[in-house]
């Protein structure tokens, strides 16, 4: 059985794209109706939970950097729109490295509209899979 993080990584449907002359990144995910993150949230009306959206940001960073990152802190989080099954979720972010840490500002887009924004700080970790 796969972990939730492994399931999120499997839903990435393209390679990371570099934006704005290397000042940002973008990666798209597609979470089908059978995606584990929808189970129980909410029965009959599945939506992508906020904690899964945060993990999506972490997984995007792991894919781009090919290394693991442990979540240290969440700042300025706003969840603006409901994310439903079978919607493409585009994650855009900027990274600010700080020694063995990185601070990232994430925006999740659905149909070109902001669904969530948050800033996360991570510590370096050995592996993306846990």
């Amino acid at each position: 059985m796969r972990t939730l993080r492994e399931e999120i990584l499997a839903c990435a449907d393209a390679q990371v794209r570099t934006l704005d002359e290397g000042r940002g990144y973008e990666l798209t995910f597609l979470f089908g109706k059978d995606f584990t993150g929808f189970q129980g949230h909410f029965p009959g009306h599945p939506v992508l939970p906020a904690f899964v959206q945060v993990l999506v940001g972490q997984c995007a960073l792991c894919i781009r950097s090919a290394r693991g990152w442990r979540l240290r802190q969440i700042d300025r989080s706003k969840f603006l729109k409901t994310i439903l099954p079978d919607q493409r979720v585009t994650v855009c972010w900027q990274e600010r490295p700080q020694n063995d840490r990185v601070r990232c500002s994430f925006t999740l887009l659905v149909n070109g509209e902001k669904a969530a924004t948050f800033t996360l700080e991570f510590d370096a970790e050995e592996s993306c899979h846990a």
Side-chain angles (χ1 to χ4, degrees), residues 24-56:
Y25 304 95
E26 178 180 280
L27 180 62
T28 301
F29 291 82
L30 181 60
F31 302 103
K33 65 180 187 252
D34 295 328
F35 173 66
T36 300
F38 290 122
Q39 293 179 4
H41 197 269
F42 295 95
H45 302 285
V47 300
L48 196 66
F51 83 93
V52 175
Q53 294 178 45
V54 168
L55 280 174
V56 168

Side-chain angles (χ1 to χ4, degrees), residues 97-128:
Q98 305 167 339
N99 299 322
D100 283 343
R101 293 187 180 150
V102 66
R103 192 165 176 81
C104 300
S105 297
F106 291 94
T107 300
L108 276 58
L109 302 169
V110 174
N111 298 325
E113 296 182 14
K114 282 186 189 176
T117 63
F118 43 86
T119 300
L120 306 177
E121 186 174 307
F122 301 97
D123 288 324
E125 187 175 90
E126 292 293 314
S127 167
C128 282

Side-chain angles (χ1 to χ4, degrees), residues 46-48 80-84 87 110 115:
V47 300
L48 196 66
L80 308 165
K81 292 196 177 286
T82 302
I83 300 175
L84 304 172
Q87 291 183 314
V110 174

